[in-house]
Amino acid sequence: MTGNLIRGTSAYAVHLYPDTHRSVIRGNAMLDNGGGVIVAGEGQMASSRNLIERNLIAGSGALGDLSSYWADASAAATWLATTA
């Protein structure tokens, strides 16, 4: 997913769950949303190996800019995120 403007949603701008693998989220603007990006899942449905880079994430609400959730720790270190 590249070059998009996502603005004014009440939820996360981008959801990477469940079972999302090897997705690239690059060069997007995510402005004034409830949150920026969430990566999540559990067990066999845990998302992994996703790359989130060079995005502008600003004005996120209570959900925050970058979030993750795994029911167990096995997938917790499977994603990389950098922002512009």
Side-chain angles (χ1 to χ4, degrees):
M1 180 177 133
T2 59
N4 296 284
L5 170 62
I6 304 165
R7 176 177 233 148
T9 68
S10 59
Y12 289 100
V14 175
H15 299 243
L16 297 178
Y17 68 84
D19 207 23
T20 305
H21 306 284
R22 295 185 174 97
S23 293
V24 177
I25 310 301
R26 177 184 294 134
N28 301 286
M30 302 171 215
L31 307 172
D32 303 320
N33 297 293
V37 179
I38 182 168
V39 182
E42 60 183 280
Q44 296 294 332
M45 301 298 280
S47 297
S48 64
R49 298 182 184 149
N50 296 293
L51 176 63
I52 304 156
E53 67 176 2
R54 292 184 228 131
N55 297 286
L56 172 61
I57 305 173
S60 295
L63 300 173
D65 291 340
L66 299 170
S67 299
S68 63
Y69 172 80
W70 287 276
D72 58 40
S74 63
T78 61
W79 66 293
L80 164 70
T82 61
T83 56

